[in-house]
């Protein structure tokens, strides 16, 4: 539309959707230098939101702050997860006596963008630089467990025991 002289067009409101859209747009590629920090930092800056350097310009504290801490159970798309000495796995026991397990990997010092909160402690994240090989610099989508230590009953009558070590802080930008 036409904007009358002397008035400014309305500014688009920035939101956590912008954070998700930016991170999703980097899926399969490398963002910035390929460090985990870069994906969250660039996604927040792109959305016009505060980033870790706004809270600690020197980044002396390696446990980066990305906004207001919120309960991990309340994680929403566009939130930022900060991991410290994290590892998680599960073991599922089936009614027929068989069992299987899944390892969600370890993240000694890591940052990820929440794509979805899938319930029961599971979240889908966008992250890069999870491992030690150059290919790990690529932005990937993974479902991981961040719900603490618990055992849940499964629909088939079996159960799954989740184990988590370390800490994960969920920040709302």
């Amino acid at each position: 539309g036409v904007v009358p002289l002397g008035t400014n067009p309305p500014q688009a409101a920035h939101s956590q959707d912008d954070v998700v859209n930016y991170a999703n747009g980097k899926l399969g590629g490398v963002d910035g230098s390929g460090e985990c920090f870069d994906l969250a930092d660039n996604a927040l800056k792109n959305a016009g939101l505060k980033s870790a350097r706004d809270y600690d310009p020197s980044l002396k504290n390696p446990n980066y702050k990305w906004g207001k801490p919120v309960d991990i159970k309340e994680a929403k798309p566009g939130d930022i997860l900060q991991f410290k000495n994290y590892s998680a796995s599960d073991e599922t026991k089936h009614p027929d006596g068989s069992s299987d397990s899944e390892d969600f990997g370890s993240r000694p010092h890591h940052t990820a963008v929440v794509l979805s909160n899938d319930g029961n402690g599971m979240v889908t994240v966008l992250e890069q630089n999870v491992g030690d090989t150059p290919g790990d610099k690529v932005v990937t989508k993974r479902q991981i467990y961040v719900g603490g230590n618990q055992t849940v009953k499964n629909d088939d009558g079996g159960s799954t025991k989740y184990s988590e070590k370390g800490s994960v802080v969920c920040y709302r930008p």
Side-chain angles (χ1 to χ4, degrees), residues 34-40 62-64 66 80-86 104-113 125-131 136-138 140 142 144 167-169 171:
E35 295 299 319
C36 62
F37 178 94
D38 294 339
L39 181 64
N63 299 311
Y64 306 130
W66 298 95
I80 307 297
L81 300 182
Q82 185 63 45
F83 298 85
K84 180 181 177 187
N85 300 325
Y86 163 92
F104 297 102
S106 65
R107 290 159 179 82
H109 179 250
H110 188 62
T111 306
V113 176
V125 297
L126 291 163
E127 59 186 350
Q128 69 180 1
N129 199 25
V130 177
D136 292 328
K137 299 268 187 189
V138 171
T140 54
R142 290 186 180 86
I144 58 172
S167 69
V168 184
V169 179
Y171 288 103

Side-chain angles (χ1 to χ4, degrees), residues 12 22 43 54 61 86 93 104 122 124 128 136 149 161:
Y22 178 92
D54 295 309
N61 182 352
Y86 163 92
K93 293 188 187 320
F104 297 102
M122 301 298 287
T124 299
Q128 69 180 1
D136 292 328
N149 297 318
K161 180 181 179 184

Side-chain angles (χ1 to χ4, degrees), residues 8-93:
N8 294 321
Q11 294 295 309
H14 294 293
S15 71
Q16 290 183 244
D17 290 341
D18 295 328
V19 174
V20 170
N21 291 339
Y22 178 92
N24 247 335
K26 300 299 179 180
L27 193 59
V30 175
D31 190 38
S33 66
E35 295 299 319
C36 62
F37 178 94
D38 294 339
L39 181 64
D41 185 50
N42 290 334
L44 290 170
K45 283 184 198 167
N46 181 69
L49 298 167
K50 284 186 175 182
S51 183
R53 287 186 207 285
D54 295 309
Y55 297 101
D56 178 14
S58 67
L59 297 179
K60 279 187 181 158
N61 182 352
N63 299 311
Y64 306 130
K65 180 179 177 183
W66 298 95
K68 177 185 171 203
V70 296
D71 189 319
I72 195 88
K73 294 180 184 87
E74 305 300 319
K76 293 189 342 189
D79 283 349
I80 307 297
L81 300 182
Q82 185 63 45
F83 298 85
K84 180 181 177 187
N85 300 325
Y86 163 92
S87 64
S89 61
D90 69 24
E91 183 179 8
T92 301
K93 293 188 187 320

